Amino acid sequence: MYFKKEMEPFIQGIHQVLSVSEVRQWAREIGFVQRQNKLKPEDFLSICAFLKETVGSSGLGNLCSSITRISGADISKQALHQRFDAKGVAFLQGIFNQLAEQQAIFMRPLYIDHLFSRIRILDATSFGVPKNDPDHPDGAKIQLEYELFEGKFLHTFLYDQTKSDQHAARELADTIEPGDLILRDLGYFSGEHLKKIDRAGGFYISRVPANMTFWTWDKKGKMMQIKPEEDAKKLGHGEAIDYGHIQIGKKGKNTLQTRLVVQQLTEEQKKKREGYLQKRRRKGGHTQSATKKNQIQILATNITSDQVEMQELYPIYSLRWQVEILFKTWKSLFHIDKVRAMNPERFACHLYGTLIHILLSSMIAFQCRYYLYQKHQIESSEFKSIDHVKSAIEEDQGQALYHSDSFITLIKNIYQNVYRHGRKDHRYKHKSPFDILNLAYERTVKAA
């Protein structure tokens, strides 16, 4: 009874989007359904979002068979193919956007920080697809901004693969609020943008590209160049230098005065960095300056040393990897990148359908993780939790989602599975997000 009461706002929020009546109403509003049709809107949503085989990888014949199993409707391959059109895309995009909007109503923060109101992490994943026709898409890049405290998908952008990461950062420049902590990787680095974050009252921690120059001033105010790669040779593995307030770049709009912290990488970090550089070299990427500074990691931040000490910056920045874990589920569990050659509309239906499944699974997983921590002080694994949710939804092709009674039963079953089988294994001397955020929990230690 207590569990149902706790989950009631969440269930109501989801059903404002996914109940049969709401799905059909939206389909009529968008023009996807104009008259009585064999293919019901909820069945189209199910085959695009909640099957084990995605619309991107399945043949039309298999999808038609799935519709028959779900609702008994007999639909031809040609008739189904025609539903993958602009209105079908708009229908699925609207469902995704409505679910994303519901996050603001019922998502609760797992942790309250006195310095940072939100931790916002922007990153991208991309993939290519086979192309049999000049009009077919050749892939996609998806930019996700994730808010860590509430597990929210703040912003999701779909671009072609060639779109720069800087474009997404510019689109979000006016959304920064006081107290936001922005964590960014190399591809988003822009002195101009970091200055905008600072002016908006936000905080940032950003990696700095290896080809930048660093400057300080002598007692007479004359600029002197800093060479972090030379200074870091005196450091042991994992040790760091805090240069305090310096200048990145000597002139130009990318010039930035900021706090600079440089860390000598551990052996494990160096191996990961070298593996990444090798991939870039195979793709023809320029890595000369990056190789030269491969022993160190350079961070720029406007957080003062009084607010966060030097040794605490790197663990906080490492929270950015939570998005990498999400992207890992997107490809290894949801197979968003497994796509055959197809027209742009069907490809878009595949993307939005899969993103609906991903978003909903992430939302349910976060609710279970929140409840587990509040009731039992247990930290569950993000990956394991999402995997349990995905599998449960797919067992009946998403049919339990459309009715409140079956939905609460589904969530109860997922919660029990996450409680029994979804706990995070803590590797010795490896900090989890709960460690970094100083949350107390019942620890399960796994030897390294």
Side-chain angles (χ1 to χ4, degrees):
M1 183 64 71
Y2 179 74
F3 179 84
K4 184 176 180 180
K5 185 178 179 181
E6 281 286 300
M7 290 294 176
E8 193 170 339
F10 176 73
I11 293 166
Q12 288 177 352
I14 296 300
H15 269 258
Q16 287 180 15
V17 180
L18 288 186
S19 68
V20 172
S21 60
E22 291 293 337
V23 170
R24 292 180 180 179
Q25 177 63 29
W26 171 244
R28 286 191 293 269
E29 288 179 15
I30 205 67
F32 178 67
V33 170
Q34 295 176 329
R35 60 183 183 275
Q36 193 69 22
N37 198 295
K38 284 185 178 180
L39 182 60
K40 298 173 183 176
E42 64 269 25
D43 295 338
F44 183 75
L45 174 59
S46 289
I47 65 164
C48 290
F50 305 128
L51 298 183
K52 290 182 180 180
E53 295 294 327
T54 67
V55 161
S57 61
S58 291
L60 288 171
N62 288 336
L63 294 173
C64 290
S65 297
S66 296
I67 293 170
T68 302
R69 287 194 296 272
I70 291 170
S71 66
D74 183 14
I75 185 170
S76 68
K77 291 192 289 185
Q78 182 179 0
L80 179 58
H81 175 72
Q82 291 173 350
R83 301 321 308 269
F84 295 118
D85 59 7
K87 289 182 179 178
V89 175
F91 169 69
L92 294 170
Q93 184 179 6
I95 296 290
F96 174 78
N97 290 338
Q98 290 170 45
L99 280 175
E101 289 169 4
Q102 288 298 316
Q103 294 177 106
I105 299 173
F106 52 76
M107 298 299 272
R108 298 163 291 185
L110 196 59
Y111 177 75
I112 302 296
D113 188 280
H114 296 296
L115 181 59
F116 310 124
S117 56
R118 298 187 293 182
I119 295 183
R120 299 172 58 171
I121 310 168
L122 177 64
D123 208 347
T125 187
S126 61
F127 56 91
V129 299
K131 187 172 181 177
N132 296 340
D133 187 285
D135 294 329
H136 287 178
D138 56 7
K141 173 182 278 190
I142 305 173
Q143 294 276 358
L144 172 69
E145 187 176 41
Y146 182 72
E147 201 289 303
L148 186 67
F149 289 155
E150 294 186 335
K152 278 186 189 175
F153 286 27
L154 282 183
H155 300 94
T156 309
F157 303 117
L158 270 61
Y159 299 131
D160 62 58
Q161 292 186 90
T162 59
K163 202 79 166 182
S164 166
D165 289 341
Q166 294 282 344
H167 186 82
R170 285 192 293 270
E171 285 203 40
L172 296 174
D174 294 333
T175 69
I176 307 300
E177 297 178 3
D180 284 350
L181 171 60
I182 313 299
L183 303 181
R184 296 280 168 83
D185 202 8
L186 291 173
Y188 302 93
F189 180 82
S190 163
E192 189 176 19
H193 181 59
L194 295 179
K195 283 183 274 192
K196 285 183 179 179
I197 295 173
D198 187 63
R199 287 196 295 268
F203 299 97
Y204 62 80
I205 305 176
S206 173
R207 276 187 66 193
V208 182
N211 60 356
M212 300 299 291
T213 58
F214 307 94
W215 303 85
T216 188
W217 302 267
D218 63 17
K219 293 179 180 179
K220 296 180 180 180
K222 184 179 179 181
M223 294 188 78
M224 302 185 303
Q225 188 170 359
I226 301 167
K227 295 191 175 180
E229 67 273 19
E230 297 296 327
D231 295 339
K233 290 178 181 178
K234 305 170 188 175
L235 301 176
H237 298 314
E239 292 182 345
I241 303 172
D242 191 339
Y243 286 98
H245 200 71
I246 61 95
Q247 181 168 302
I248 299 176
K250 196 167 186 179
K251 58 183 178 180
K253 65 179 182 180
N254 235 19
T255 300
L256 174 70
Q257 293 189 8
T258 187
R259 179 185 177 193
L260 190 79
V261 177
V262 176
Q263 180 196 37
Q264 175 73 262
L265 297 180
T266 64
E267 287 300 323
E268 183 180 355
Q269 289 171 327
K270 289 176 186 176
K271 288 178 182 177
K272 288 182 179 179
R273 178 78 61 84
E274 182 57 35
Y276 169 74
L277 291 174
Q278 285 178 359
K279 287 182 181 178
R280 282 192 61 191
R281 292 186 196 108
R282 286 196 292 268
K283 294 179 180 179
H286 298 290
T287 63
Q288 186 174 356
S289 58
T291 301
K292 189 177 180 181
K293 295 184 174 75
N294 189 32
Q295 310 296 312
I296 61 176
Q297 181 159 249
I298 307 172
L299 294 183
T301 182
N302 64 340
I303 303 170
T304 68
S305 56
D306 290 335
Q307 292 168 324
V308 176
E309 295 179 358
M310 173 180 65
Q311 58 267 32
E312 295 175 347
L313 276 178
Y314 284 95
I316 293 173
Y317 179 75
S318 72
L319 292 170
R320 198 189 65 79
W321 282 97
Q322 293 308 110
V323 171
E324 298 291 343
I325 293 172
L326 284 177
F327 288 157
K328 182 180 178 182
T329 70
W330 289 22
K331 292 182 175 179
S332 62
L333 298 181
F334 294 92
H335 307 300
I336 196 170
D337 58 330
K338 300 296 188 293
V339 184
R340 57 173 65 193
M342 60 184 59
N343 64 39
E345 290 77 20
R346 184 174 168 189
F347 181 59
C349 286
H350 159 74
L351 289 177
Y352 280 113
T354 308
L355 285 171
I356 288 168
H357 196 176
I358 288 169
L359 175 58
L360 186 61
S361 296
S362 298
M363 290 162 71
I364 294 173
F366 189 87
Q367 291 297 310
C368 291
R369 294 179 65 224
Y370 177 90
Y371 189 79
L372 275 173
Y373 176 71
Q374 294 298 321
K375 189 169 178 61
H376 301 289
Q377 287 71 55
I378 290 172
E379 181 181 11
S380 61
S381 158
E382 301 88 338
F383 189 94
K384 291 178 185 177
S385 299
I386 291 172
D387 192 15
H388 284 302
V389 179
K390 174 184 179 290
S391 299
I393 289 174
E394 290 175 349
E395 281 183 6
D396 68 349
Q397 297 83 41
Q399 298 305 294
L401 302 170
Y402 303 130
H403 309 280
S404 57
D405 289 342
S406 56
F407 189 28
I408 185 63
T409 301
L410 176 73
I411 291 183
K412 283 181 179 178
N413 291 338
I414 291 169
Y415 171 75
Q416 290 299 325
N417 282 328
V418 172
Y419 176 72
R420 293 192 184 101
H421 311 296
R423 300 191 190 194
K424 182 183 283 291
D425 294 322
H426 291 268
R427 299 178 69 86
Y428 181 61
K429 290 186 178 180
H430 282 65
K431 286 188 175 183
S432 77
F434 276 45
D435 292 319
I436 295 167
L437 297 172
N438 296 317
L439 288 170
Y441 57 86
E442 182 181 314
R443 179 186 286 263
T444 304
V445 178
K446 183 177 180 179

